[in-house]
Amino acid sequence: MWFASFLSSRFHNHFVDSMNSSISLLLRLWSRRRWRPALALLLAPGAIGAQDELWNRVEVRRTAYGVPHIKADHLKAVAYALAWVQLEDYGSRVALGLLRSRGEMGKWFGRDSMDGDSLAQRDYRVAVEKYALLDAATRDVYDGFAAGVNRYIERHPTEFPPGFGPRFTGYDVAARDVGGASVAAARRFLARLVPQPARPARDGAPQPDPQGDAATLDAIEEGSNAWAFAPSRTKSRRAILVRNPHLAWTAGYYEAHITVPGALDFYGDFRIGGPFGVVGGFNKDLGWATTNNAPDLDEIYALDADPDGVDRYLFDGASIPLERELITVAFRNGEGLSTETREFWRTPLGPVIHRADGKVYILRAAGEDDVRHGEQFLRMMRATSLAEWKEAMRLRSRVTSNFTYADRAGNIFYVWNASIPALPHPRGGDTAAVPARRTGEVWTRYVPFDSLPQLLNPPGGYVRNENDPPYHTNLRQVLERSRYPANFPDPRLGLRSQHSLTLIDNERRFSLEEVVQLKHSYRMLLADRVKGDLLTAVRAANPASPTTEAAQMLGRWNNSAAPDSRGGVLFEIWWRRILEGTTADSVYTEPWTAANPQGTPRGLRDPQRAAQAFAWAVRETALRHGRIDVTWGEVHRVRRGSVDLPVGGCSGA
């Protein structure tokens, strides 16, 4: 959620990450433990001392907002400095992340911290076994990052628990990037296969169901937006890429610029705790932005247990032993250490998640035990053309995310990225296990990268994504759902995406400043779709005076979530009320359809219910806020310490 513009005249394009500089300053003051003045030289010998002389191979300068610009002689040194500045800003969070990836949380902090240690130790083992297979440049980055963490801990022992002194290596950093099977997918399947007992009441009250609690959250509140404009759509005749990750301010983004002359010059948002959690950025030639997607990356298979063999299953006409893994983890027990051993079972197809009724259930997941995540991102960061960047993407180690791309050559590109299985059978999802007795009945390869949904320089000169499926990325070149396998998502276009399209699916040419202004649009598209029907329903109900006056005020409202707008608060409270116990699709007269992607949903199916909910919302708004014409910015505010500011903008719903 930060803004940085890439405006130097020596570059051929503008790359933008959205948020204005004043909000960026507030963000840095709030999210970081401390920050440095502009051009502060951090890595002087007196500050670090010599560790393989890495300190004298690197220089770090920070802007007034605290953003580090790192220049080093080689990749190991630049990673050393990246670790150092992350620790300066976030301290123990970085070191604890590496402890977690090593599987030693229990060893340092006790039994109640060891839940993830056994699985983490397995990932660590995989990282060690495959480390030598990574290219030398990637290993240098991992090794340098670990060295930077070690040296910082040595120099700042008071920032860590007494006696805290693990010696990290590149293995620990690489273990963070090992691909794994989805624990959540296994849990969802098992919740259906093995009914769970009712949770006992506490203090006379039934306990909430965790899955039920999650279902009540507004999932669309989290996500990201990305736009790319071709030179034909910009006043500068250069491509523009815009990135807007609107997750929580504590989500772990880390803005930095890292440079190794002749080898790397990359500016982007990393993730706290490692060198390769890159979710967007740019170099002199190209840039990309990620937005989350939700591909179906795994399948659950039901194998036949061998009735005549212990811990064996039947496959391809043979009886095959299950692989047993015993992982022993240590945990602090008072002044000493104790251990606990956990048992895991595997097959070459994937881990065993359940055994019952003569079946062995296994989870086969894309990307499991892949250690090339960092290698792929380093290649992307160093790419100089679309062809090189796509070759890096073909490693398929980054198994998810939409990628929106632009480059100095004027190309814009979008790909719904997924290492998605090429299934030889109908998909099972989380609800059904697919029977499998031979290799031909399980997936063994991915859908080719070049067969994924993607657009290169489409008509209209734009590509965009706001987390919805890929088909309506560009309304001038809609992708047909029928071209893709059944385990691809079905079409959907939420109001956030539709709002995006209303702003950019036109013939306008934009300046960089106009693009940033568009990004800050406060328009509430839902009001455009249903407010007219709501006011008609309220008038038809012949309500009492306060409700009539509220309807008149709502009629004057400009359908925006601007800080000074009056009406949006009442409208939002009404909308939340009418959705209670139902879904938005059941409320609309016309739910969304692919046949009319920009005109639906619209209208209100039940005018009487809408009018009743509005009368309730009028009373509720006055009760909560003292009056019905409260401004949006009086209710929606940023508060931190002495800062108390009105803000605009609304949920994607």
Side-chain angles (χ1 to χ4, degrees):
M1 290 182 63
W2 40 262
F3 173 90
S5 57
F6 187 57
L7 300 174
S8 173
S9 60
R10 63 195 176 93
F11 299 140
H12 286 248
N13 288 290
H14 302 314
F15 296 91
V16 181
D17 265 292
S18 64
M19 258 258 181
N20 60 48
S21 57
S22 62
I23 297 298
S24 178
L25 174 58
L26 291 174
L27 172 59
R28 299 202 190 294
L29 290 175
W30 298 343
S31 66
R32 291 187 172 155
R33 299 186 305 132
R34 58 180 179 273
W35 58 284
R36 294 286 187 269
L39 303 183
L41 189 63
L42 300 181
L43 300 186
I48 296 180
Q51 170 143 339
D52 300 330
E53 297 189 347
L54 288 177
W55 59 262
N56 64 8
R57 301 287 185 176
V58 63
E59 177 186 73
V60 178
R61 297 173 181 264
R62 287 188 184 255
T63 70
Y65 297 130
V67 179
H69 291 250
I70 303 169
K71 185 176 181 180
D73 289 353
H74 50 70
L75 290 171
K76 185 177 290 187
V78 84
Y80 176 92
L82 182 60
W84 182 276
V85 295
Q86 287 190 15
L87 278 151
E88 278 202 324
D89 295 337
Y90 291 98
S92 59
R93 181 172 176 178
V94 178
L96 292 181
L98 294 182
L99 267 190
R100 190 172 290 110
S101 70
R102 185 190 283 184
E104 289 189 354
M105 291 295 288
K107 177 180 177 180
W108 289 93
F109 301 107
R111 188 185 185 93
D112 60 351
S113 299
M114 64 180 287
D115 279 352
D117 281 354
S118 53
L119 290 177
Q121 284 197 14
R122 185 185 181 279
D123 289 345
Y124 179 82
R125 184 189 306 167
V126 172
V128 172
E129 291 172 353
K130 297 186 177 182
Y131 197 73
L133 303 180
L134 297 173
D135 64 23
T138 305
R139 297 197 306 272
D140 281 348
V141 173
Y142 283 138
D143 291 344
F145 194 92
V149 175
N150 290 334
R151 188 57 177 162
Y152 187 92
I153 294 172
E154 290 174 4
R155 297 291 296 178
H156 300 88
T158 60
E159 297 181 16
F160 301 89
F164 186 82
R167 296 295 300 175
F168 295 114
T169 69
Y171 296 151
D172 301 293
V173 190
R176 291 171 51 90
D177 295 334
V178 174
S182 170
V183 175
R187 286 175 176 166
R188 288 192 296 268
F189 172 76
L190 292 175
R192 293 169 173 83
L193 183 68
V194 185
Q196 300 299 307
R199 303 181 75 192
R202 186 176 63 192
D203 297 331
Q207 295 302 293
D209 171 27
Q211 288 186 333
D213 293 346
T216 66
L217 299 177
D218 193 352
I220 206 169
E221 297 286 3
E222 289 195 354
S224 303
N225 310 319
W227 290 339
F229 297 97
S232 63
R233 292 295 308 280
T234 70
K235 292 181 179 179
S236 66
R237 302 287 180 157
R238 300 166 183 166
I240 295 177
L241 174 66
V242 187
R243 175 156 202 279
N244 172 212
H246 58 85
L247 297 178
W249 287 355
T250 54
Y253 293 110
Y254 193 85
E255 183 178 358
H257 181 196
I258 55 177
T259 304
V260 176
L264 177 67
D265 188 354
F266 183 80
Y267 192 115
D269 48 6
F270 301 83
R271 298 306 286 268
I272 298 166
F276 290 129
V278 182
V279 286
F282 54 85
N283 60 33
K284 295 179 181 180
D285 296 296
L286 56 86
W288 74 86
T290 58
T291 52
N292 291 342
N293 60 358
D296 184 2
L297 298 177
D298 46 54
E299 283 293 319
I300 295 171
Y301 291 102
L303 312 180
D304 291 331
D306 185 346
D308 301 319
V310 177
D311 298 328
R312 303 179 74 90
Y313 64 100
L314 302 175
F315 200 71
D316 283 335
S319 175
I320 302 173
L322 294 172
E323 302 167 6
R324 183 178 182 231
E325 291 183 310
L326 295 177
I327 298 179
T328 300
V329 298
F331 62 91
R332 184 153 298 282
N333 189 2
E335 295 300 317
L337 291 175
S338 298
T339 62
E340 180 174 297
T341 299
R342 298 184 181 180
E343 179 181 73
F344 297 89
W345 294 89
R346 296 187 58 83
T347 73
L349 299 173
V352 175
I353 61 173
H354 189 61
R355 285 196 272 176
D357 302 322
K359 298 295 181 182
V360 177
Y361 296 95
I362 61 108
L363 178 64
R364 181 156 177 76
E368 187 183 21
D369 294 349
D370 193 330
V371 299
R372 300 170 301 162
H373 181 95
E375 183 172 323
Q376 176 177 332
F377 268 108
L378 185 57
R379 292 189 187 187
M380 293 163 64
M381 293 157 70
R382 301 173 76 176
T384 61
S385 67
L386 177 59
E388 287 184 11
W389 186 85
K390 288 173 73 173
E391 277 305 302
M393 289 289 291
R394 288 190 179 95
L395 281 181
R396 313 301 291 277
S397 186
R398 175 61 182 250
V399 297
T400 67
S401 293
N402 302 282
F403 281 79
T404 302
Y405 167 102
D407 64 30
R408 67 188 297 174
N411 294 305
I412 60 172
F413 177 71
Y414 163 83
V415 58
W416 183 81
N417 180 66
S419 296
I420 195 163
L423 300 179
H425 53 74
R427 64 183 296 268
D430 295 333
T431 59
V434 177
R437 294 180 173 85
R438 57 187 63 87
T439 301
E441 294 174 343
V442 302
W443 71 263
T444 56
R445 61 183 181 87
Y446 298 143
V447 173
F449 177 82
D450 292 321
S451 296
L452 296 174
Q454 54 192 276
L455 292 171
L456 173 63
N457 300 326
Y462 72 87
V463 290
R464 46 135 293 276
N465 185 266
E466 295 80 25
N467 308 116
D468 279 331
Y471 311 105
H472 297 89
T473 294
N474 181 298
L475 292 182
R476 320 288 180 92
Q477 190 174 334
V478 175
L479 301 174
E480 294 295 330
R481 172 66 181 89
S482 59
R483 292 173 50 191
Y484 304 101
N487 57 337
F488 280 56
D490 290 328
R492 185 183 70 251
L493 198 65
L495 289 175
R496 181 156 54 98
S497 294
Q498 292 186 46
H499 183 194
S500 171
L501 285 162
T502 64
L503 296 172
I504 67 174
D505 182 44
N506 49 52
E507 304 302 324
R508 290 180 57 192
R509 285 184 179 272
F510 300 121
S511 68
L512 182 67
E513 294 75 18
E514 287 168 337
V515 168
V516 174
Q517 185 178 19
L518 281 182
K519 178 265 162 195
H520 287 93
S521 170
Y522 289 136
R523 181 178 178 183
M524 195 182 290
L525 191 60
L526 177 66
D528 295 349
R529 301 293 176 82
V530 302
K531 191 178 83 170
D533 279 13
L534 170 60
L535 295 178
T536 299
V538 172
R539 286 192 292 266
N542 194 24
S545 178
T547 303
T548 299
E549 293 172 3
Q552 292 171 349
M553 184 270 294
L554 197 68
R556 296 189 296 270
W557 172 49
N558 64 358
N559 293 5
S560 90
D564 60 353
S565 68
R566 299 181 187 273
V569 172
L570 172 62
F571 181 82
E572 182 186 28
I573 291 174
W574 164 77
W575 181 248
R576 297 291 184 184
R577 176 69 171 185
I578 201 172
L579 286 186
E580 288 181 0
T582 187
T583 63
D585 278 350
S586 68
V587 172
Y588 296 122
T589 303
E590 297 179 68
W592 183 81
T593 66
N596 186 11
Q598 277 291 89
T600 53
R602 67 170 53 254
L604 294 172
R605 179 175 297 176
D606 189 340
Q608 183 178 2
R609 183 182 178 200
Q612 292 171 347
F614 186 77
W616 177 91
V618 171
R619 297 190 298 271
E620 182 69 12
T621 303
L623 181 66
R624 292 186 196 179
H625 306 298
R627 65 184 197 278
I628 60 171
D629 65 344
V630 61
T631 66
W632 189 264
E634 289 177 87
V635 175
H636 298 83
R637 305 185 72 79
V638 170
R639 287 177 175 150
R640 178 84 175 200
S642 62
V643 175
D644 188 348
L645 298 172
V647 293
C650 62
S651 122

